[in-house]
Amino acid sequence: MSIRLRVARVIAETADAVTLELVAEGRRPAYRPGQFLTLRIPSDRTGSVARSYSLSSAPHEDGPLKVTVKRTQGGYGSNWLCDNAAEGMELESLPPAGVFTPASLDDDLLLLAAGSGITPVLSIAKSALAQGNGRCTLVYANRDERSVIFAAELAELARAHPERLTVVHWLETVQGLPTAAQLRTLIEPWADRAVFVCGPEPFMDAVEWAATELGVDRVHSERFVSITGDPFAPVPTADDSSEDVAAVTVEIDGETHEFGWPRETVLLDVLLARGVEAPYSCREGACSACVCRLRDGEVKMLRNDVLEKEDLADGYVLACQAIPVTDTVRITYD
């Protein structure tokens, strides 16, 4: 399922962040605003590592895919790309994935980002302004003016949509690190909107606390965990020899599949082994790319680092971590 991408251009956004313009072989992959790519990055020690980077381009825009990468201290993938990515280089990628995307671009949105967390948030904002009719408020926190990624593009968007886009910058050198209490006061006028947040863990935790204090039902958070395995490894072959199987029905891309599900095998491996092109990225329960919905039956997840209690209550599960509990299970990919 991997795709080949050629680096068409490398754009220096700030002193420690670059945007890679990527051109796919053949047709450009479809994606939704807020989704990410998982790239295979060469490594002298392990051969390669896999890292996920959000798309800063928007689906309606013509031209290449764009991912924006900011150096992180001790981060192998981000430093390798910032130091080595060059025009003409080819990279292997998994298809666009992720669920950090609005249900409707017509909704009023409250978007919060810190540092490189602006990447998926920018894609959402551009899409909503171009293809929806709702209003957007963006709160963007950075260390100082020089570290503001997409400063010019955000200013231009605000000029082009003065009635629909409000951008609030928070600079640590001027205002200090934003506290949860300060964020609560700041976002209160827009607390009735759909909330999306991406950035360092402390910032997202502070936003989620502030939103909870204001009675916000749901905060959509994008949290990345470094992938330790190899999601590019060959998919397992189907094992039909097990006698301990559940019966599973899976609805995906307008098709219905029915087969036996060995109880010790996660759903994603069963689907891939049977040639079903189910979405995935990390295969470790850390990214939500493989999320699907349990309609009937019961499953157990071996690991879950991303789905929140509201997601679980709505029946969402991770295909890469789900094993059957009941004898029959029905799954859909919405």
Side-chain angles (χ1 to χ4, degrees), residues 124-139:
I124 292 171
K126 290 191 292 187
S127 298
L129 293 170
Q131 298 188 301
N133 54 35
R135 296 164 296 167
C136 298
T137 295
L138 168 62
V139 176

Side-chain angles (χ1 to χ4, degrees), residues 132-200:
N133 54 35
R135 296 164 296 167
C136 298
T137 295
L138 168 62
V139 176
Y140 186 19
N142 281 283
R143 184 175 59 254
D144 52 39
E145 278 192 71
R146 293 177 300 176
S147 60
V148 178
I149 305 172
F150 308 125
E153 188 169 1
L154 289 172
E156 179 55 36
L157 282 173
R159 283 193 295 270
H161 304 276
E163 303 299 321
R164 296 180 56 209
L165 175 63
T166 301
V167 179
V168 179
H169 287 283
W170 184 291
L171 301 179
E172 181 184 341
T173 53
V174 177
Q175 298 149 286
L177 286 170
T179 66
Q182 288 171 321
L183 287 168
R184 182 191 186 283
T185 301
L186 179 62
I187 69 176
E188 186 171 8
W190 307 289
D192 60 338
R193 300 185 179 185
V195 180
F196 289 79
V197 57
C198 186

Side-chain angles (χ1 to χ4, degrees), residues 101-105 107 196:
T101 186
S104 171
L105 294 177
D107 289 342
F196 289 79

Side-chain angles (χ1 to χ4, degrees), residues 1-7 22-27 29 40 65 89-94 232:
M1 288 181 61
S2 65
I3 55 179
R4 301 293 299 180
L5 298 172
R6 176 177 54 82
V7 178
L22 303 170
V23 178
E25 293 180 352
R27 186 177 179 182
R40 187 173 201 166
L65 303 172
M89 175 183 291
E90 287 198 352
L91 295 169
E92 186 177 2
S93 173
L94 294 177
F232 293 90

Side-chain angles (χ1 to χ4, degrees), residues 52-127:
S52 297
Y53 298 102
S54 295
L55 288 150
S56 52
S57 53
H60 69 276
E61 295 176 321
D62 294 329
L65 303 172
K66 297 179 183 179
V67 295
T68 302
V69 182
K70 182 179 180 179
R71 291 184 190 274
T72 57
Q73 186 173 4
Y76 177 81
S78 63
N79 283 284
W80 192 95
L81 288 171
C82 286
D83 290 335
N84 296 283
E87 183 178 339
M89 175 183 291
E90 287 198 352
L91 295 169
E92 186 177 2
S93 173
L94 294 177
V99 295
F100 186 68
T101 186
S104 171
L105 294 177
D106 292 326
D107 289 342
D108 290 339
L109 303 175
L110 173 58
L111 309 172
L112 299 106
S116 60
I118 188 63
T119 305
V121 168
L122 176 65
S123 180
I124 292 171
K126 290 191 292 187
S127 298

